[in-house]
């Protein structure tokens, strides 16, 4: 079961650097657009900020999950370990989906 949880984690963890750099870039682009002409570029800047926000939320979600993941299962009974791992699988699956959705929105924007 631990392996199942880690496979889900490992699928998106390598994308964390891309997420953070893309978030920063989008926020910078939004700021530039607003400085150039805030009225004319308002909707584009808003979209950039919205996608940057989703990227940030996805990034934070991964680290929130990692910080609450049990450091050890040694003191738990077998049935408790199974229950905790089932809960962790649900949580990391949500994080995985959030990351993929944020990256899809980024890809759609960049096409």
């Amino acid at each position: 079961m631990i392996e199942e949880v880690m496979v889900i984690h490992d699928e998106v963890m390598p994308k964390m650097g891309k997420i953070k750099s893309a978030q920063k870039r989008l926020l910078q682009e939004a700021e530039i657009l607003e400085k150039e002409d805030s009225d004319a570029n308002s909707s584009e800047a808003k979209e950039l900020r919205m996608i940057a926000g989703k990227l940030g939320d996805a990034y934070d979600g991964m680290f929130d999950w990692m910080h609450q993941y049990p450091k050890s299962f040694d003191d738990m009974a077998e049935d408790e370990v199974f229950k905790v791992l089932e809960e962790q699988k649900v949580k990391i699956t949500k994080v995985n989906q959030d990351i993929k959705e944020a990256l899809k929105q980024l890809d759609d924007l960049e096409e």
Side-chain angles (χ1 to χ4, degrees):
M1 178 68 80
I2 290 175
E3 294 82 17
E4 291 177 38
V5 172
M6 287 298 116
V7 164
I8 297 167
H9 164 272
D10 293 348
E11 181 181 358
V12 291
M13 186 63 190
K15 297 174 177 22
M16 298 305 287
K18 176 182 179 178
I19 288 171
K20 199 62 173 171
S21 64
Q23 178 192 25
K24 183 178 178 181
R25 180 176 48 81
L26 292 178
L27 291 173
Q28 290 171 339
E29 289 176 16
E31 189 174 319
I32 291 167
L33 286 171
E34 290 167 344
K35 284 181 181 177
E36 288 175 355
D37 187 344
S38 61
D39 291 336
N41 297 325
S42 175
S43 65
E44 186 177 355
K46 184 178 179 179
E47 180 181 20
L48 292 175
R49 288 188 185 283
M50 185 267 306
I51 294 171
K54 289 192 180 218
L55 290 167
D57 290 346
Y59 184 91
D60 291 345
M62 174 62 86
F63 285 97
D64 290 346
W65 177 80
M66 288 177 13
H67 288 298
Q68 62 79 51
Y69 187 82
K71 298 195 184 345
S72 171
F73 297 97
D74 294 343
D75 295 338
M76 294 182 199
E78 188 175 330
D79 61 330
E80 186 180 1
V81 170
F82 184 78
K83 181 181 177 199
V84 168
L85 286 171
E86 282 291 324
E87 292 168 357
Q88 292 301 316
K89 185 176 177 182
V90 169
K91 289 177 182 180
I92 193 60
T93 297
K94 171 81 168 93
V95 169
N96 181 296
Q97 291 169 342
D98 290 347
I99 289 171
K100 287 178 179 177
E101 179 58 32
L103 288 172
K104 182 182 181 323
Q105 288 182 349
L106 175 65
D107 291 344
D108 291 349
L109 175 73
E110 294 177 339
E111 287 182 351

